[in-house]
């Protein structure tokens, strides 16, 4: 509390000043800028940040406040931005003083659960030690629990995690992530997790328009652009890809564009006698997109 | 200054009998680019009135390598161009009339591998008495990697010394036994025991404690080692005392060193006055016998202190790192003996870094690679006390032995209390630094806090808290922060 | 008797909060922190038993404290020392080391003297606790 505030009879605190001092604003802005769409997610993150900021201000007034439970679950299909948002969440929590370091440790079952007896506890603890002071992000967390096998080593990892989530609430925040339906099932079978997770955020699939924008952003970041006809091709590609199995939102677009860049390079080689202009080096042409197997399998799309 | 082009006389005229100016004999080569394998020396040259600085500098190159006062035909039986030292640059000393920095390059073949005596016989041999010069000072040397590799280097080194002593993360603490002279062996050992039991890591013989009527060396060694063993049992810590083995002959020194080893000492000590060859012999002995070798720089001020004449201590420090001692007294900045902070920092870097970049603001004239030679532990000794702990840590760093002689033995509550005061002050300061406190500015507060639970420290701060030695240094650096282009 | 090995033995015993500050310092230097325990604190006993492997890649000191708590649960009656390794070239050794646990009673050491030739003595330091079997030394 600053001196001015202490001197007045009825202390006042400017929420705007607190907000500015925390440095959270730029992180939220960055989240807005780097992630296309995801409006409901961004809204939830803002709400959480506001809640935590107000909690902090309340503490300055000496109002009773339990240290908030901050563990979260992020549900949604692959490629919907969960890891990126988790990384920004870690920064926000750090700026607001709810974690000490603000780094993110992302793991899956393989990092936590061992292959033989006595292997799991050290592995889980190793991960927890590295995550201390930051955010532990467990992707596809439900694989920790195997209903069909009650002697699965995952159970041991779950018990250690629950203990640390309860006892070390000041030391780290755990984010469990995965498909919504499987996560629901997981929480039903593990009430210990359900009761310790305070914030559930659902990540919707990207719209086709979102994905096109994401694709163009990715390319711009690598100094490429789509020609007019290539852009049209990609617009057709997106719904076609969505209809196929193993669709992973932004990740599928990234993979498609990686392959398109490969084809572009090959094409430039085969046209070797032409002068290489900057224009040609940076442009993805329609053919680079159209050669995808996605079109081959559903030619009309 | 005006760069004079090379005036080297070529062809048969060069070897005509008679006297010829040095700059015409090939000792002034302004276009010469030193090779990576050349030894380079930077001299401060003060020519006699009327002597041209270039000619004076060329003469230094000549007299420290192949030249004599007259032309000799036997030069023509040798690859003389290679053996001639070449002065390639002469700059006026900033702000000092009549003095010049002369840079001279020497071919590596001029020097015997691994011999400080041979190196110094060339570089500071005859030349310092040369009449056309009023004064001459060796400021710095660049020792090429190829030459560094021919030396053993410190017998033990900072890292292994710490491993053997099991002491990490803080400066080591020592004290020189006082009074310097007159204590019997039995009384002397009492000081050692009290100081070590009280918390010091080392005690030290003074430079002139050898074997005198009041205490022969064996008496000292026997009582000191009783004290060391007893202090180790009392604390569970490894302790040491630098047993000075300096003696009249090598045979005597070996005998004393062997006896120290038999008694289980982890460290022996020598004085700089025994000479470079004896120092190198003892360094080899120390490496063979798992012994730390402490060097007291007795006598150095006779030639290091005056700015215009002699050898800078930074050069001595370089030679000693090559020669292979493990400890060297390198100044305190805040204590009673000579040394300004920037110059002293240069000495410490030479002891402790694997590579010294050229840093004129610290008096370091050349890039100096050390080829992974062990690091040499600097020792700060002379007029320092617990109340300066924050300054000492800030100025000298962590890898240093802090020697509080008077500051331990002069403690009003006794030697052990003096030792405890120093150790508590040190540990409190290290703790505060690591915990992120602004220990330099909060130093006195940190010490006062630590003194609350440590009476000996409170007493020490009461007695010496305000003692300082603020005198102007006689050996300050001459450099301009942005070097002016020599016109 | 108080064994004064390590960097902070002359200060009052460090609290866990104190230890956190020093561990955080080590982590921020990029050093790996290691825990070791022993019931034989002889000054030349270099190899104490390791409590797991040195902890690499930690961000926050709390992780080390978790291990220390676990180690104390099993070895609270022994000496536990915390040290930090610096792997950079030219050092490649311990950078800081200090005690973080002591037995409830420290037995100390006996100094044995064996007469040698002339006036020389051979000295041997023995922990009093060593007269009792391993595992029962500080109980």
């Amino acid at each position: 509390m600053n001196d001015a505030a202490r001197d007045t009879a009825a202390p006042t605190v400017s929420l705007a000043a607190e907000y500015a001092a925390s440095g959270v604003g730029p992180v939220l802005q960055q989240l807005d800028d780097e992630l296309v769409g995801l409006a409901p997610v961004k809204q939830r993150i803002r709400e959480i940040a506001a809640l935590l900021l107000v909690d902090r201000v309340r503490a300055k007034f000496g109002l009773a406040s339990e240290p908030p439970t901050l563990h979260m679950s992020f549900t949604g299909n692959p490629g919907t931005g969960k890891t990126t948002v988790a990384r920004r969440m870690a920064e926000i929590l750090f700026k607001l003083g709810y974690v000490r370091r603000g780094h993110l440790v992302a793991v899956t079952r393989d990092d936590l659960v061992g292959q033989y007896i006595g292997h799991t506890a050290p592995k889980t603890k190793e991960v927890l030690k590295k995550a201390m002071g930051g955010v532990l992000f467990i992707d596809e967390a439900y694989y920790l629990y195997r209903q069909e096998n009650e002697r699965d080593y995952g159970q041991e990892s779950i018990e250690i995690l629950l203990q640390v989530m309860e006892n070390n609430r000041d030391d780290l925040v755990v984010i469990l992530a995965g498909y919504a339906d499987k996560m629901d099932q997981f929480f039903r079978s593990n009430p210990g997790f359900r009761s310790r997770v305070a914030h559930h955020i659902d990540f919707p699939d990207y719209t086709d328009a979102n994905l096109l924008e994401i694709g163009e952003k990715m390319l711009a970041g690598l100094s490429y652009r789509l020609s007019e006809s290539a852009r049209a091709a990609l617009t057709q590609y997106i719904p076609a890809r969505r209809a196929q199995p193993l669709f992973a939102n932004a990740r599928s677009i990234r993979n498609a564009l990686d392959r398109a860049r490969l084809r572009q390079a090959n094409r430039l080689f085969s046209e070797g006698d032409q002068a290489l202009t900057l224009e040609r080096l940076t442009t993805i042409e329609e053919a680079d997109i159209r050669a995808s197997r996605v079109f081959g399998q559903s030619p009309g799309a | 200054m005006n760069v004079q082009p090379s005036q080297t006389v070529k062809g048969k005229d060069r070897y005509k009998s008679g006297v010829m100016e040095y700059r015409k004999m090939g000792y002034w080569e302004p276009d010469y680019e030193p090779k990576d394998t050349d030894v380079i020396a930077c001299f401060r040259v003060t020519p006699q009135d009327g002597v041209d600085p270039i000619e004076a500098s060329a003469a230094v190159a000549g007299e420290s390598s192949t030249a004599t006062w007259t032309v000799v035909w036997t030069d023509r039986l040798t690859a003389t161009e290679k053996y001639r030292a070449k002065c390639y640059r002469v700059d006026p000393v900033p702000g000092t009339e009549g003095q010049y920095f002369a840079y001279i390059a020497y071919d590596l073949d001029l020097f015997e591998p691994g011999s400080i005596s041979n190196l110094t016989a060339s570089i500071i041999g005859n030349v310092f008495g040369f009449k056309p010069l009023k004064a001459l000072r060796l400021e710095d040397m660049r020792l090429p990697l190829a030459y560094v590799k021919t030396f053993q280097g410190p017998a033990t080194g900072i890292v292994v010394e710490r491993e053997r002593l099991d002491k990490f993360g803080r400066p080591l603490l020592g004290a020189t036994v006082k009074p310097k002279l007159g204590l019997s062996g039995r009384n002397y050992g009492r000081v050692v025991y009290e100081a070590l039991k009280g918390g010091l890591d080392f005690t030290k013989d003074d430079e002139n404690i050898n074997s005198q009527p009041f205490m022969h060396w064996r008496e000292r060694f026997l009582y000191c080692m009783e004290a060391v063993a007893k202090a180790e049992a009392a604390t569970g810590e490894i302790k040491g005392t630098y047993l000075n083995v300096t003696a009249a002959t090598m045979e005597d020194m070996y005998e004393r060193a062997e006896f120290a080893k038999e008694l289980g000492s982890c460290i022996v000590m020598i004085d700089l006055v025994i000479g470079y060859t004896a120092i190198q012999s003892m360094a080899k002995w120390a490496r063979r016998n798992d012994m730390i070798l402490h060097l007291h720089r007795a006598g150095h001020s006779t030639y290091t202190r005056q700015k215009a004449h002699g050898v800078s201590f930074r050069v001595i420090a370089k030679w000693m790192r090559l020669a292979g001692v493990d400890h060297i007294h390198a100044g305190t900045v805040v204590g009673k003996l000579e040394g300004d902070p920037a110059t002293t920092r240069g000495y410490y870097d030479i002891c402790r870094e694997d590579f010294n970049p050229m840093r004129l603001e610290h008096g370091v004239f050349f890039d100096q690679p050390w080829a992974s030679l062990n690091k040499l532990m600097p020792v700060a000794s002379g007029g320092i006390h617990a109340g300066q702990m924050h300054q000492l840590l800030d100025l000298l760093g962590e890898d240093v032995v802090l020697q509080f002689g008077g500051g331990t033995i002069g403690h009003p509550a006794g030697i052990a209390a003096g030792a405890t005061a120093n150790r508590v002050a040190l540990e409190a300061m290290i703790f505060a630094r690591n915990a992120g406190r602004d220990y330099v500015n909060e130093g006195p507060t940190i010490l006062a806090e630590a003194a609350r639970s440590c009476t000996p420290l409170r007493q020490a701060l009461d007695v010496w808290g305000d003692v300082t030695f603020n005198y102007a240094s006689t050996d300050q650096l001459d450099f301009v922060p942005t070097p002016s282009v020599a016109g | 008797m108080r064994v004064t090995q390590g960097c902070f033995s002359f200060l009052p015993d460090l609290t866990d909060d104190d230890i956190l500050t020093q561990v955080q310092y080590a982590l921020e230097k990029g050093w790996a922190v290691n825990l070791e325990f022993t019931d034989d604190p002889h000054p030349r006993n270099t190899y104490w038993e390791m409590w797991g492997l040195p902890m690499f890649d930690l961000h926050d000191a709390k992780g080390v404290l978790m291990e220390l708590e676990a180690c104390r649960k099993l070895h609270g009656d022994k000496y536990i020392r915390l040290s930090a390794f610096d792997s950079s070239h030219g050092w490649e050794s311990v950078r800081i080391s200090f005690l973080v646990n002591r037995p409830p009673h420290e037995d100390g050491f006996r100094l044995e003297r064996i007469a040698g030739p002339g006036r020389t003595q051979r000295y041997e330091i023995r922990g009093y606790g060593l007269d009792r079997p391993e595992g029962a030394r500080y109980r």
Side-chain angles (χ1 to χ4, degrees):
Chain A
M1 191 190 297
N2 60 35
D3 291 341
R6 201 176 294 125
D7 290 342
T8 52
T12 57
V13 170
S14 155
L15 209 51
E18 284 286 323
Y19 179 75
S22 71
V24 167
V27 184
L28 289 171
Q29 189 58 48
Q30 192 185 356
L31 198 64
D32 247 351
D33 296 346
E34 73 187 343
L35 286 179
V36 170
L38 291 180
V41 172
K42 290 171 179 171
Q43 184 56 32
R44 289 282 287 125
I45 301 287
R46 277 218 178 73
E47 286 165 13
I48 293 170
L51 174 71
L52 295 178
L53 189 71
V54 170
D55 257 8
R56 207 171 74 161
V57 173
R58 282 168 57 91
K60 289 192 179 179
F61 275 89
L63 292 174
S65 64
E66 279 269 290
T69 303
L70 293 166
H71 305 309
M72 302 176 196
S73 98
F74 285 7
T75 48
N77 291 327
T80 48
K82 296 188 294 289
T83 312
T84 312
V85 172
R87 211 172 286 286
R88 296 296 155 245
M89 196 69 224
E91 268 183 68
I92 291 168
L93 293 171
F94 172 66
K95 298 249 153 99
L96 289 172
Y98 288 95
V99 294
R100 288 188 298 273
R101 314 287 158 209
H103 61 290
L104 182 86
V105 175
V107 298
T108 61
R109 176 189 159 102
D110 286 352
D111 300 298
L112 295 165
V113 180
Q115 304 291 315
Y116 44 84
I117 193 157
H119 193 197
T120 298
K123 278 189 86 161
T124 301
K125 283 184 184 159
E126 189 69 23
V127 166
L128 284 167
K129 278 184 276 177
K130 287 180 183 164
M132 282 288 158
V135 171
L136 175 59
F137 180 85
I138 307 177
D139 204 8
E140 306 208 72
Y142 30 77
Y143 288 135
L144 288 176
Y145 176 71
R146 297 213 163 129
Q147 209 164 9
E148 68 283 4
N149 180 2
E150 62 185 30
R151 290 171 67 188
D152 180 65
Y153 295 130
Q155 192 56 40
E156 192 180 351
S157 185
I158 287 174
E159 278 156 26
I160 297 170
L161 285 169
L162 285 175
Q163 199 189 349
V164 170
M165 283 167 77
E166 189 56 36
N167 297 344
N168 296 70
R169 278 196 287 177
D170 296 343
D171 296 322
L172 89 165
V173 168
V174 177
I175 297 178
L176 306 168
Y179 290 105
D181 50 343
K182 290 188 180 176
M183 203 62 115
D184 284 348
Q185 176 60 34
F186 176 67
F187 282 129
R188 271 198 295 280
S189 322
N190 291 276
F193 273 118
R194 192 176 51 216
S195 66
R196 284 181 181 84
V197 169
H199 304 282
H200 295 267
I201 302 180
D202 194 49
F203 287 64
D205 278 352
Y206 287 112
T207 63
D208 290 356
N210 285 160
L211 289 173
L212 182 61
E213 194 184 339
I214 289 170
E216 295 206 277
K217 268 197 168 181
M218 283 175 184
L219 286 176
L222 297 163
S223 301
Y224 285 92
R225 54 177 282 278
L226 294 167
S227 70
E228 267 313 305
S229 51
R231 191 164 188 276
L234 186 61
T235 310
Q236 289 177 8
Y237 173 91
I238 290 167
R241 177 67 188 86
R242 192 191 291 277
Q244 291 191 358
L246 297 175
F247 173 68
N249 282 282
R251 202 171 304 150
S252 292
I253 300 303
R254 172 177 296 281
N255 293 343
L257 293 175
D258 282 348
R259 285 191 296 271
R261 284 164 54 211
L262 210 66
R263 290 188 208 107
Q264 184 238 20
N266 262 319
R267 177 168 55 75
L268 292 177
F269 252 99
S270 60
E271 303 165 351
D273 46 343
Q274 292 185 38
L276 264 187
T277 59
L278 190 66
E279 169 82 11
R280 292 188 60 222
L281 267 176
T282 56
T283 306
I284 304 281
E285 295 290 355
E286 179 178 7
D288 303 328
I289 304 281
R290 290 265 175 219
S292 165
R293 269 176 312 176
V294 169
F295 289 108
Q297 283 168 6
S298 52
Chain B
M1 88 181 315
N2 291 324
V3 174
Q4 300 183 10
S6 169
Q7 298 167 21
T8 306
V9 176
K10 309 272 182 196
K12 65 179 199 265
D13 287 345
R14 165 66 180 80
Y15 295 101
K16 259 206 281 202
S17 292
V19 177
M20 184 186 278
E21 283 169 290
Y22 287 93
R23 66 184 134 181
K24 293 190 178 157
M25 289 197 282
Y27 298 109
W28 168 241
E29 294 287 357
D31 298 327
Y32 182 73
E33 281 193 24
K35 301 191 292 281
D36 284 347
T37 53
D38 283 349
V39 170
I40 307 174
C42 176
F43 289 95
R44 181 192 294 256
V45 178
T46 313
Q48 295 280 13
D49 297 340
V51 175
D52 177 74
I54 297 282
E55 173 62 11
S57 301
V60 171
E63 288 298 319
S64 60
S65 60
T66 49
T68 184
W69 62 277
T70 183
V71 172
V72 291
W73 65 267
T74 42
D75 267 346
R76 305 194 67 182
L77 306 179
T78 70
T80 172
E81 312 244 315
K82 180 180 175 69
Y83 299 133
R84 239 181 250 143
K86 293 153 194 86
C87 180
Y88 63 92
R89 181 175 158 191
V90 177
D91 299 337
V93 173
T96 310
E97 196 75 11
Q99 295 186 2
Y100 302 85
F101 286 133
Y103 291 78
I104 298 174
Y106 301 82
D107 191 273
L108 189 54
D109 274 5
L110 292 172
F111 307 103
E112 176 174 345
S115 170
I116 299 291
S117 291
N118 176 255
L119 176 71
T120 52
S122 287
I123 308 290
I124 58 167
N126 284 342
V127 64
F128 277 67
F130 195 52
K131 275 185 180 166
L133 306 177
K134 266 191 205 154
L136 182 63
R137 188 182 202 224
L138 179 55
E139 290 286 346
D140 200 1
M141 289 184 80
R142 194 285 301 266
L143 303 151
L145 194 72
Y147 198 46
V148 172
K149 269 293 192 192
T150 66
F151 287 87
Q152 168 192 285
T156 314
I158 291 178
V159 176
V160 174
E161 171 168 355
R162 286 191 176 281
E163 289 190 339
R164 282 191 203 161
L165 300 173
D166 189 30
K167 295 172 195 289
F168 303 95
R170 62 170 174 85
L172 302 177
L173 286 178
T176 308
V177 175
K178 304 280 173 178
K180 286 167 108 159
L181 301 167
L183 291 172
S184 72
R186 184 183 163 121
N187 290 340
Y188 196 94
R190 165 61 72 184
V191 179
V192 171
Y193 174 60
E194 297 293 330
L196 295 180
K197 180 186 67 171
L200 300 193
D201 305 301
F202 287 128
T203 48
K204 171 180 175 296
D205 289 344
D206 226 330
E207 74 282 7
N208 51 353
I209 285 286
N210 296 157
S211 192
Q212 283 114 320
F214 50 84
M215 175 171 63
H216 289 106
W217 66 275
R218 290 178 67 94
E219 286 303 294
R220 185 169 86 255
F221 284 23
L222 284 161
Y223 281 112
C224 281
M225 290 316 295
E226 166 77 17
V228 168
K230 215 169 137 55
E232 283 187 347
T235 61
E237 256 190 293
I238 295 171
K239 303 284 186 181
T241 191
Y242 320 157
L243 295 170
N244 191 348
V245 301
T246 298
T249 65
M250 254 348 271
E251 291 72 24
D252 290 337
M253 289 210 289
Y254 283 137
E255 184 193 354
R256 293 177 193 188
E258 287 293 339
F259 191 55
K261 181 181 79 172
E262 255 174 58
L263 295 176
S265 181
C266 64
I267 185 163
V268 293
M269 156 184 171
I270 50 177
D271 291 335
L272 183 60
V273 291
I274 66 175
Y276 302 131
T277 297
I279 291 170
Q280 283 195 270
S281 289
M282 286 308 297
K284 292 204 165 154
W285 181 91
R287 168 88 45 107
R288 271 202 309 278
N289 291 282
D290 314 319
M291 196 70 88
I292 301 166
L293 182 61
H294 179 97
L295 177 81
H296 186 115
R297 54 175 175 169
H300 82 96
S301 285
T302 53
Y303 45 88
T304 60
R305 192 173 181 192
Q306 294 308 318
K307 216 161 130 170
H309 191 82
V311 181
S312 161
F313 184 73
R314 79 183 58 87
V315 178
I316 306 291
K318 285 186 176 179
W319 292 346
M320 289 304 104
R321 185 164 177 185
L322 294 178
V325 302
D326 289 315
H327 286 186
I328 188 166
H329 290 243
T332 63
V333 184
V334 295
K336 69 176 179 185
L337 301 177
E338 178 65 34
D340 81 281
T343 314
T344 305
R345 174 69 198 279
Y347 304 159
Y348 274 66
D349 286 348
I350 284 166
C351 292
R352 297 189 297 202
E353 303 296 322
D354 192 48
F355 176 77
N356 304 130
M358 179 178 92
R359 210 169 263 170
L360 292 180
E361 67 273 27
H362 293 166
V364 178
F365 285 76
F366 302 106
D367 286 356
Q368 176 62 56
W370 285 106
S372 298
L373 235 54
N374 282 342
K375 300 175 205 311
L376 168 51
M377 182 86 88
V379 177
S381 174
I384 55 177
H385 56 80
Q388 299 163 321
M389 202 56 87
H390 50 297
Q391 296 165 305
L392 291 166
L393 186 59
D394 179 42
L395 290 164
L396 309 179
E398 191 172 289
D399 289 312
V400 57
V401 185
L402 300 175
Q403 299 250 147
F404 301 91
T408 301
I409 299 160
H411 192 281
I415 300 167
T420 304
N422 288 321
R423 180 80 174 264
V424 170
L426 176 66
E427 292 191 357
M429 205 55 68
I430 293 282
F431 183 90
R433 181 197 66 178
N434 297 359
R437 287 182 71 176
D438 176 9
Y439 70 97
V440 183
N441 291 311
E442 293 177 39
T445 317
I446 292 163
L447 291 173
E449 286 165 8
R452 260 182 239 141
S453 56
C454 176
T455 309
L457 178 56
R458 198 160 55 229
Q459 292 164 327
L461 295 175
D462 286 347
V463 177
W464 297 304
D466 302 324
V467 177
T468 55
F469 297 91
N470 287 330
Y471 301 99
S473 173
T474 55
D475 181 20
Q476 278 163 335
L477 294 168
D478 292 318
F479 85 104
V480 271
T482 43
S484 59
V485 179
Chain C
M1 185 275 173
R2 182 178 171 88
V3 167
T4 54
Q5 293 170 19
C7 207
F8 302 120
S9 282
F10 274 74
L11 302 181
D13 282 344
L14 302 188
T15 64
D16 283 356
D17 282 343
D18 289 339
I19 293 169
L20 284 174
T21 64
Q22 301 301 305
V23 172
Q24 195 61 38
Y25 170 78
L27 295 182
E28 276 160 26
K29 296 270 186 188
W31 303 337
V33 175
N34 187 37
L35 292 168
E36 298 159 283
F37 58 92
T38 192
D39 60 1
D40 175 16
H42 188 285
R44 309 273 171 186
N45 179 12
T46 305
Y47 304 114
W48 295 18
E49 301 308 317
M50 290 170 72
W51 178 259
L53 300 182
M55 290 168 255
F56 298 97
D57 310 319
L58 261 53
H59 289 80
D60 188 82
K62 204 53 182 276
V64 172
L65 214 73
M66 270 173 65
E67 288 294 348
L68 175 57
E69 277 160 16
C71 181
R72 275 181 183 148
K73 254 184 213 147
L74 265 146
H75 302 291
D77 58 342
K78 304 190 181 76
Y79 291 91
I80 304 177
R81 126 182 122 189
L82 186 154
S83 47
F85 292 95
D86 176 2
S87 64
S88 49
H89 172 254
W91 199 270
E92 293 155 300
S93 184
V94 178
R95 275 288 188 181
I96 187 170
S97 152
F98 53 94
L99 296 180
V100 287
N101 198 74
R102 295 171 185 275
H105 172 80
E106 298 188 65
D107 283 332
F109 304 91
R110 171 169 66 226
L111 180 65
E112 302 268 18
R113 294 180 184 76
I114 301 154
R119 289 182 52 233
T120 58
Q121 301 282 328
R122 293 223 69 82
Y123 299 102
E124 190 185 310
I125 294 170
R126 280 183 61 80
Y128 289 110
L130 293 188
D131 294 342
R132 296 189 288 281
E134 194 179 359
R137 284 172 188 165
Y138 296 106
R139 291 207 176 133

